[in-house]
């Protein structure tokens, strides 16, 4: 389908205007968002520091000592991730009496007073539980407050607190399903000797301001859309006058030109003086025939460049489907294989199974010996997997998680393959080598038996692996 230069020009102008408008919206959104985030982070930091300065340190120390004493006597800590479970309730019950203490009640009243004055969602005090947990001392929230002793794991970004307690919690913003947009900050509470007792923490909701931000962006988008339309109209009028009309005249002259007659008078009599590329086009029009060979050469070079581009794209695609650390298939390659299996299921000729393998104790290994040793362990377990299963069917789905897609006879012999792998794992665990060499892993599998989706088979295999991991952990204890 042919399109006139006028139509192409209009499309180009509109496209450029839209791109500029969208870019303006995006830049404005990010700039405003950064200003809002910075403002809320400063507010959270200031409130945390103020709370740390005015909090009753004697009560804070008394309550922290009581919580820490119970925590040290607890054999197994149940984290807040298991909130509502019988184990969690039993764990929290050990601290229940502290809620009636004078220290707790006094601090609670003080937190809520500061909380109400500053119109924030939640103020609370927490302290470090050894090197593995953050413990709540008192939570000023009016609903769903975390009780004393409630433990959160220490995430990697906060692990510096173990070595630098005075660092506190620099402000950070999160968006989670139960709490929405929150900015959180914390400051250390010091005793009279300059030691850190606990941390004064603050959570401020940003849901309302995020809504206002969205409405502002919508208004800005509407304004930019109107401005874009106006700019397009003006640009089209200008382009029509200085580009389209001269080109139409040149086109008309070219249509009437007959090479057989050699009459170029109409072209010669044109008066195109635009002092730009159109005038240059007019001046070089007669030389067009002599330039054809040059154009063909350019086309050939372009074709060669496109061929090289396709080769590079193919190479990049191959790299994307290989895991850089282990050399087995990547998560992207696994997803592509899932699509193939789904097509087979739709045709009714699917016969496959999935084996899930999960390296044990990787986090502990990384924390104790560093990620380089963890990488050695990952490569070691991957090598063991590939020695039992077809390497081309092995995929690394995450840091310590592998999947094997079984096909054909491997489905019938899966129990033998799993037993062979477990034998290798037992030998590795009992080898007496370094922790990153004497690796172990849990394994589970599931075969396709009419499931609705490949993910159904995956979930059954993952559950089987999880049961294996539980039994291995129980045996190790």
């Amino acid at each position: 389908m042919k399109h006139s230069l006028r139509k192409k020009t209009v499309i180009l102008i509109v496209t450029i205007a839209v791109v500029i408008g969208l870019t303006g919206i995006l830049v404005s959104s990010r700039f405003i968002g950064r200003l809002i985030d910075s403002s809320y982070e400063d507010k959270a930091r200031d409130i945390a520091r103020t709370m740390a300065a005015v909090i009753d340190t004697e009560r804070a120390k008394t309550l922290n000592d009581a919580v820490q004493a119970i925590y040290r006597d607890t054999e197994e800590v149940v984290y807040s991730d298991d909130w509502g479970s019988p184990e969690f309730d039993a764990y929290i019950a050990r601290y229940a009496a502290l809620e009636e203490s004078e220290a707790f009640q006094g601090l609670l009243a003080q937190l809520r007073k500061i909380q109400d004055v500053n119109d924030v969602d939640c103020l609370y005090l927490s302290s470090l539980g050894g090197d593995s947990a953050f413990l709540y001392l008192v939570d000023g929230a009016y609903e769903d407050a975390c009780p004393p002793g409630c433990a959160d794991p220490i995430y990697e970004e906060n692990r510096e607190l173990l070595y630098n307690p005075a660092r506190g919690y620099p402000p950070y913003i999160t968006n989670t399903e139960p709490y929405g947009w929150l900015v959180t900050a914390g400051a250390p509470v010091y005793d009279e000797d300059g030691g850190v007792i606990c941390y004064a923490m603050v959570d401020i909701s940003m849901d309302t301001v995020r809504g206002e931000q969205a409405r502002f962006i919508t208004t800005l988008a509407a304004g930019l859309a109107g401005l874009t339309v106006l700019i397009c109209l003006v640009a089209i009028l200008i382009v029509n006058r200085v580009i389209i009309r001269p080109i139409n005249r040149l086109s008309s002259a070219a249509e009437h030109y007959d090479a057989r007659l050699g009459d170029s008078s109409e072209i010669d009599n044109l008066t195109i003086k635009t002092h730009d590329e159109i005038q240059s086009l007019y001046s070089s029009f007669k030389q067009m025939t002599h330039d054809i060979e040059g154009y063909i050469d350019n086309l050939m070079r372009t074709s060669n460049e496109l061929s090289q581009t396709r080769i590079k794209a193919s190479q990049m695609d191959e790299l994307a489907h290989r895991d850089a650390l282990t050399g087995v298939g990547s998560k992207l390659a696994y997803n592509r294989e899932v699509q193939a299996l789904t097509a087979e299921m739709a045709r009714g000729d699917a016969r496959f199974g999935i084996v899930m393998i999960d390296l044990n104790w990787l986090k502990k290994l990384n924390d104790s010996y560093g990620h380089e040793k963890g990488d050695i362990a990952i490569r070691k377990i991957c090598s063991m997997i590939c020695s039992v299963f077809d390497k081309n069917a092995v995929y690394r789905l995450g840091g310590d998680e592998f999947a094997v897609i079984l096909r054909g006879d491997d489905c019938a012999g899966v129990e033998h393959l799993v037993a062979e792998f477990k034998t290798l794992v037992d030998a590795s665990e009992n080898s007496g080598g370094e922790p990153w060499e004497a690796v172990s892993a849990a394994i589970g599998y599931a075969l396709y038996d009419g499931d609705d989706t490949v993910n159904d088979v995956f979930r059954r295999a993952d559950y089987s692996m999880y049961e294996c991991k539980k039994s291995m952990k129980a045996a190790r204890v």
Side-chain angles (χ1 to χ4, degrees), residues 131-330:
D131 61 354
S132 60
F134 288 122
L135 301 176
Y136 280 80
L137 303 181
V138 56
D139 186 350
Y142 288 97
E143 295 181 1
D144 297 327
C146 292
C150 182
D152 285 341
I154 299 180
Y155 297 108
E156 197 64 33
E157 58 266 24
N158 292 322
R159 188 161 292 277
E160 186 180 341
L161 284 173
L162 299 175
Y163 317 106
N164 184 16
R167 167 181 174 268
Y169 292 77
Y172 60 94
I173 295 173
T174 57
N175 181 23
T176 59
E177 185 173 339
Y179 303 110
W181 286 97
L182 284 179
V183 58
T184 301
V189 178
Y190 297 100
D191 59 21
E192 59 184 11
D193 297 324
V196 176
I197 301 173
C198 59
Y199 296 93
M201 305 295 298
V202 56
D203 287 343
I204 303 177
S205 173
M206 298 179 66
D207 283 342
T208 300
V209 73
R210 285 288 189 238
E212 291 295 333
Q213 181 181 351
R215 285 189 286 274
F216 172 79
I217 296 302
T218 301
T219 303
L220 177 63
L224 286 177
L227 182 61
T228 299
V229 171
L230 180 61
I231 292 174
C232 288
L233 291 175
V234 173
I236 290 170
L237 290 175
I238 295 174
V239 167
N240 186 65
R241 181 179 182 85
V242 301
I243 297 178
I244 303 302
R245 287 182 183 176
I247 288 180
N248 283 342
R249 292 173 60 199
L250 182 59
S251 176
S252 177
E255 289 177 358
H256 291 91
Y257 171 71
D258 191 339
R260 293 172 298 177
L261 299 176
D263 183 9
S264 60
S265 58
E266 186 172 353
I267 296 176
D268 295 336
N269 292 332
L270 288 176
T271 54
I272 298 178
K273 296 181 180 181
T274 57
H275 305 291
D276 54 21
E277 290 80 2
I278 296 177
Q279 184 173 343
S280 298
L281 175 64
Y282 166 64
S283 301
S284 61
F285 187 74
K286 296 179 183 179
Q287 304 299 321
M288 180 177 59
T289 303
H290 302 291
D291 296 335
I292 290 178
E293 292 182 0
Y295 294 152
I296 293 176
D297 291 340
N298 288 334
L299 288 174
M300 292 298 296
R301 283 196 297 270
T302 302
S303 178
N304 291 334
E305 291 174 359
L306 287 174
S307 297
Q308 292 297 321
T309 300
R310 293 191 187 98
I311 294 173
K312 292 180 180 178
S314 177
Q315 293 172 345
M316 292 176 65
D317 182 72
E318 175 63 23
L319 290 175
H321 286 79
R322 284 287 153 196
D323 178 61
L325 179 63
T326 62
V328 299
S330 66

Side-chain angles (χ1 to χ4, degrees), residues 37 58 84 92 95 106 183 226 253 293 304 332 339 370 376 383 403 410:
D37 290 351
E58 290 297 326
I92 288 299
Y95 301 87
V183 58
E293 292 182 0
N304 291 334
L332 185 61
Q339 292 177 355
I376 294 175
S383 176
D410 284 346

Side-chain angles (χ1 to χ4, degrees), residues 111-125:
L111 286 183
R112 287 183 172 174
K113 185 175 181 180
I114 299 172
Q115 190 171 281
D116 294 341
V117 169
N118 288 278
D119 189 24
V120 297
D121 289 72
C122 181
L123 302 179
Y124 52 98
L125 299 179

